[in-house]
Amino acid sequence: MSEDPRTRMLAGAVDLMSRGGLPAASMRDLARHSGTPLGSTYHYFPGGKRQLALEAVRFADDQLRSWLGRSLEQGPVAGLREFLAVWRQILIDSDFEAGCPVLSVAVTEPRAEEAVSATRDAFVHWCELLSGSLREHGTPADTAEALALLIVTSVEGSIAMCRVEGSPRALDVIARTLEELTENALAQCTLTRTLDS
């Protein structure tokens, strides 16, 4: 079943933002990119670019939360591995032109207050998913929250480096390091439980 026009436009806006930030996602660019009449963009987004930016960030957040949530059903380590593999494939498939659309809005248009606020919410959501999975597997709350924040910031930074370098090297290095840190955190919890029993 094909996407409805509004969803197709939001997906198109996310793709544009992932490549060039908010400046790349004008209403005219969106119409061209999504193959819809310019008038339709204003029909679905009467608030113009401001509304489009806010809803596109929320749309991207929902997509990423869905991917991450499904990945973490396998556990923190396997979930992290799968999530990073998705990012690696996005980078390769786009020839290193596409990055994180959520971060791109924050860094290219810091005055778009509502959209930037939505980016903060997105980062909180991702950290909460990761820390929640770690806590479910026995990691203490403070360790889980710190590791989740480290994961999100490391992934975001390495994606930017991969785009600059035109190579997945940075993400691959970060993936191995984050996986090892996550395994160690979980092993420490297991050891602590064993000693306490």
Side-chain angles (χ1 to χ4, degrees):
M1 186 170 66
S2 61
E3 293 175 326
D4 65 86
R6 194 174 195 282
T7 300
R8 191 168 66 247
M9 282 185 264
L10 283 171
V14 168
D15 185 50
L16 288 169
M17 291 187 319
S18 75
R19 295 166 189 271
L22 199 52
S26 71
M27 302 301 268
R28 190 171 300 280
D29 290 334
L30 175 60
R32 188 181 312 112
H33 188 65
S34 61
T36 54
L38 181 59
S40 294
T41 62
Y42 288 100
H43 170 74
Y44 287 106
F45 304 101
K49 189 171 180 178
R50 184 175 176 178
Q51 179 187 357
L52 174 66
L54 175 61
E55 294 196 31
V57 168
R58 288 176 175 165
F59 183 81
D61 177 24
D62 288 344
Q63 282 188 317
L64 286 162
R65 269 193 286 173
S66 177
W67 293 343
L68 182 56
R70 284 196 305 270
S71 298
L72 289 171
E73 289 173 4
Q74 307 169 66
V77 176
L80 175 62
R81 188 181 300 133
E82 182 176 311
F83 186 64
L84 292 174
V86 168
W87 272 117
R88 191 180 199 278
Q89 198 60 51
I90 289 170
L91 285 162
I92 291 170
D93 288 347
S94 69
D95 197 24
F96 300 95
E97 289 184 5
C100 176
V102 173
L103 180 63
S104 72
V105 170
V107 298
T108 61
E109 203 66 39
R111 290 173 297 182
E113 292 180 10
E114 290 179 327
V116 171
S117 177
T119 68
R120 284 193 294 269
D121 292 343
F123 294 139
V124 168
H125 296 154
W126 306 344
C127 286
E128 286 176 347
L129 275 172
L130 287 160
S131 64
S133 179
L134 287 161
R135 289 195 310 273
E136 284 171 16
H137 288 80
T139 308
D142 57 344
T143 302
E145 289 170 10
L147 184 51
L149 181 61
L150 178 64
I151 290 170
V152 171
T153 55
S154 298
V155 171
E156 291 291 343
S158 64
I159 289 170
M161 284 190 68
C162 288
R163 294 180 70 191
V164 170
E165 294 179 350
S167 162
R169 183 192 65 84
L171 188 62
D172 290 344
V173 171
I174 287 299
R176 289 192 298 270
T177 304
L178 293 176
E179 191 172 318
E180 183 178 328
L181 288 170
T182 303
E183 287 172 342
N184 290 343
L186 295 171
Q188 184 64 42
C189 298
T190 302
L191 177 61
T192 301
R193 284 198 303 270
T194 302
L195 293 172
D196 289 345
S197 61

